[in-house]
């Protein structure tokens, strides 16, 4: 089933698009979690990382190279940034069109919250 991101690809709903080519589209996240928060998506409708097929490898590679290019354009490449793909419920995926978050512009801290160590008595 098509998601809201397919509507962005089709220009049926607006988005602040920063990059487009034959394989991928990149646009600003509507609810940014950091000073830079851009979503990079394959144009093919791939629901989750579980649904990637061998023919998608060109688009997935392009997503990373475009992510690095946009990071440079946004001036965050040297300080660093994070590229994230969430999958399904435990991964926190909310939109079921595969997407990669490019987040940066501040120190992002540890990737995951570590469980608190139990104090030994
Ligand atoms: P997920 O949790 O699925 O990895 O991330 C989905 C992301 O899509 C969220 O960061 C959310 O803010 C963003 N998002 C959801 N709907 C829209 C929309 O209509 N436009 C844009 N630009 N971003 C959206």
């Amino acid at each position: 089933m098509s998601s809201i991101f397919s509507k962005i690809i089709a220009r049926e709903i607006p988005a602040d698009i920063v990059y487009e080519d034959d394989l991928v589209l990149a646009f600003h996240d509507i609810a940014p979690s950091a000073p830079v928060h851009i979503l990079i998506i394959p144009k093919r409708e791939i629901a989750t990382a579980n649904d990637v097929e061998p023919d998608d490898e060109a688009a997935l590679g392009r997503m990373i190279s475009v992510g690095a290019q946009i990071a440079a354009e946004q001036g965050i490449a040297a300080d660093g940034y994070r590229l994230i793909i969430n999958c399904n419920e435990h991964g926190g995926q909310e939109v079921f069109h595969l997407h990669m978050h490019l987040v940066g512009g501040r120190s992002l801290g540890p990737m995951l919250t570590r469980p608190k160590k139990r104090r030994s008595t």
Side-chain angles (χ1 to χ4, degrees), residues 48 58 88 92 100 108 121:
T48 78
N88 277 342
M100 185 176 74
L108 297 167
T121 50

Side-chain angles (χ1 to χ4, degrees), residues 66-89:
V66 164
Q69 179 186 318
I70 295 171
E73 289 166 3
Q74 296 283 326
I76 61 169
D79 283 340
Y81 52 90
R82 190 168 288 156
L83 301 172
I84 306 164
I85 296 175
N86 295 322
C87 180
N88 277 342
E89 186 183 350

Side-chain angles (χ1 to χ4, degrees), residues 4-5 8 13 27-31 37 39 86 92-95 99 101:
I4 195 131
F5 290 172
I8 289 175
I13 63 164
F27 51 90
H28 286 271
D29 195 292
I30 204 167
H37 189 169
L39 301 172
N86 295 322
Q93 185 174 4
E94 292 178 351
V95 176
H99 51 283
H101 299 253

Side-chain angles (χ1 to χ4, degrees), residues 5 12 25 28 34 42 48 54 64 68 91 98 106 113:
F5 290 172
E12 289 168 14
L25 185 75
H28 286 271
T48 78
I64 294 184
L98 181 78
R106 65 169 168 80
T113 309

Side-chain angles (χ1 to χ4, degrees), residues 1-3 6 45 47 96:
M1 207 172 72
S2 289
S3 78
S6 293
E45 283 183 19
F96 287 85

